[in-house]
Amino acid sequence: MIGVMKAAVAVWALGSATVLAHSWVDCAKYDPVNQVCLGYSRGYPGRVNPDINPLYSYLFSGSPATQAMCNPKTQAAMNYSPLFPIATVQPGETVYTSWEQNGHLNNTHPTKIDILYYPNADKQFADVTERSTAMVAGTMDFATDSTCYIPGYPNTVCFGSWTVPKDLVPGNTYHFVWFWYFNQNPAGEWYSTCFDFKVEEASYVVESKPMNVLLAMEPPNNVYAQGMTDAVQKQMSQVTTLGKENQDAVTSYSSQSSVASETAVVSQSPTPEPPASSAPVEPAQPSSSTIAAPSPAPQKCRPRPVLV
């Protein structure tokens, strides 16, 4: 079947017209093993919507000095629905995110995508200038033979993987931006899609496989991006925890303050008085071998560096 599709692509290429530059995230948390979507981006209308391109494609033309980071028409708020819900992840989880190539295959000088985020759950993205101040959770090639199912087909599905930062705290929702530096316009040309993740201690974790193995599978059709189904919801209920080590960063950060406080209390406790004696005791002169080193002062809690 894959060979037949590739042959059809060759026929299409003979008479293809110029494809306009545009793309967006179809699936924020994609499962390439089962080829289903486990969570969407903000305000996603679905591929069945004939107006998805004007509704959802969001362009920054000419390297603007200022412009809203998220599409004001569809992504200004965390607007999800039962059909296109927000994804749930856990710290340290490998996430696959998908989009369509739209005719921009480039193996020689591939254009790049950054996944931007803030480690503060209360911090929302406002302006495009934040592309240079936000943290980067991952960087991916937009469209190459190593990221797309059928590289020669302009509307093929492409995807890449990145890691949810380990310092995100379960029980919070964090905000992310898929930022594509298309830059075929000498003045600059970028695209963004905004999405959010609910971070929990457990989630459905996609089975890890090499990209060449995943890309060798039958290419998905648009069913994976047409909305949540009962079967996918059942799959998502099979949650696992990656391991305690993925929570250590959060645990150690939150516990450092209490440990430092307890250390300070102990250091301030009075030294117990020695028991009374009927005869005076001459104080012993400490020798060089019995002199104890001074106790170190309790260390102040230092924020843990962000892992990206």
Side-chain angles (χ1 to χ4, degrees):
M1 181 62 181
I2 294 178
V4 173
M5 294 186 71
K6 289 183 176 178
V9 168
V11 173
W12 172 91
L14 293 175
S16 62
T18 301
V19 182
L20 296 177
H22 56 266
S23 195
W24 55 84
V25 170
D26 280 301
C27 187
K29 182 178 179 179
Y30 173 50
D31 177 358
V33 177
N34 297 293
Q35 296 185 338
V36 295
C37 188
L38 307 178
Y40 294 82
S41 45
R42 293 182 176 186
Y44 185 71
R47 281 279 174 181
V48 294
N49 189 318
D51 296 322
I52 187 172
N53 181 22
L55 278 174
Y56 217 61
S57 181
Y58 187 54
L59 166 67
F60 301 90
S61 181
S63 303
T66 183
Q67 184 175 325
M69 176 65 92
C70 302
N71 189 334
K73 294 185 297 183
T74 56
Q75 300 171 25
M78 291 189 290
N79 48 339
Y80 296 91
S81 68
L83 186 60
F84 301 114
I86 189 174
T88 298
V89 300
Q90 60 184 291
E93 177 179 343
T94 296
V95 170
Y96 296 90
T97 298
S98 73
W99 56 90
E100 286 194 2
Q101 180 204 119
N102 288 332
H104 300 295
L105 183 76
N106 192 330
N107 285 305
T108 306
H109 301 290
T111 55
K112 298 293 182 179
I113 297 165
D114 279 345
I115 301 294
L116 308 175
Y117 80 103
Y118 284 111
N120 183 347
D122 296 326
K123 174 67 174 175
Q124 294 266 9
F125 282 88
D127 194 82
V128 68
T129 55
E130 295 175 73
R131 74 188 188 281
S132 58
T133 60
M135 309 297 290
V136 179
T139 298
M140 302 171 286
D141 289 340
F142 176 77
T144 69
D145 291 351
S146 299
T147 61
C148 302
Y149 282 102
I150 308 177
Y153 180 52
N155 293 325
T156 189
V157 172
C158 305
F159 63 94
S161 66
W162 54 282
T163 302
V164 177
K166 290 184 179 181
D167 61 339
L168 302 191
V169 181
N172 292 288
T173 298
Y174 290 86
H175 317 292
F176 297 83
V177 177
W178 176 93
F179 200 89
W180 175 31
Y181 292 91
F182 179 58
N183 279 342
Q184 297 305 300
N185 177 354
E189 186 173 347
W190 316 318
Y191 293 83
S192 76
T193 303
C194 295
F195 61 96
D196 312 278
F197 279 166
K198 291 173 62 178
V199 177
E200 302 291 353
E201 291 184 353
S203 62
Y204 180 87
V205 178
V206 176
E207 182 182 357
S208 179
K209 291 180 179 288
M211 280 292 288
N212 63 321
V213 174
L214 296 172
L215 290 171
M217 296 180 178
E218 185 75 16
N221 55 31
N222 281 336
V223 171
Y224 86 96
Q226 290 179 1
M228 187 59 60
T229 65
D230 291 341
V232 176
Q233 286 182 329
K234 183 177 180 181
Q235 175 185 335
M236 291 169 58
S237 68
Q238 301 170 15
V239 300
T240 58
T241 300
L242 292 174
K244 183 177 180 300
E245 66 276 5
N246 290 304
Q247 306 300 330
D248 284 346
V250 177
T251 304
S252 63
Y253 178 80
S254 61
S255 64
Q256 280 179 16
S257 296
S258 60
V259 171
S261 300
E262 292 172 3
T263 304
V265 170
V266 171
S267 66
Q268 294 171 8
S269 300
T271 303
E273 294 292 332
S277 175
S278 57
V281 178
E282 291 294 328
Q285 295 299 319
S287 66
S288 59
S289 60
T290 60
I291 296 177
S295 299
Q299 294 184 350
K300 295 183 179 179
C301 175
R302 294 193 179 99
R304 181 182 179 276
V306 175
L307 303 177
V308 296

